[in-house]
Amino acid sequence: MTNDSFKLAVYALVAQIPAGRVMTYGQLAALSSHPRAARVVGQIAHFGPEELPWHRVVNKSGQLAATYSFGGRSGQRQHLEAEGVAVDENDRVDVNGLIWWPLAATETAEVECE
DNA sequence: CGAATGACCAAGC
DNA sequence: GGCTTGGCCATTC
């Protein structure tokens, strides 16, 4: 079923996000063949496996979204900072450089290589 | 199983 | 920059 495949795809993508990088719900949804199902990604993130680094997942504005998990945005922010992600006072990350794509691993390998 | 919910996004005002 | 509307689909009650 495609719906299950969707979840699995999201799990796989989130699991691939390297420390110090973040991904957006829209990306996860789009890469999972559901560019408009970003909301579902949010639901999966909330009820999904806690094994995955959901704290590395932010919204399209680069702003944190966690409400209860990780102790709320405050907790998520600390997790990100602990991994080297710069979070501003508004609980936002640098959408210009911290947003990571699977393709970026090969295309911008030079840049993301510290 | 039906209805409500939601860690979102894009477009319009 | 903000708020409102429509849409998407899994999870929960």
Side-chain angles (χ1 to χ4, degrees), chain A residues 45-62:
Chain A
H46 188 85
F47 299 104
E50 303 175 13
E51 331 283 333
L52 301 177
W54 297 112
H55 56 268
R56 292 180 192 154
V57 184
V58 297
N59 62 19
K60 200 53 167 70
S61 305

Side-chain angles (χ1 to χ4, degrees), chain A residues 6-34:
Chain A
F6 173 68
K7 293 188 301 184
L8 296 175
V10 175
Y11 295 154
L13 289 167
V14 176
Q16 287 167 60
I17 305 176
R21 280 293 168 75
V22 294
M23 257 184 108
T24 73
Y25 295 94
Q27 286 169 338
L28 294 170
L31 293 168
S32 302
S33 306
H34 285 273

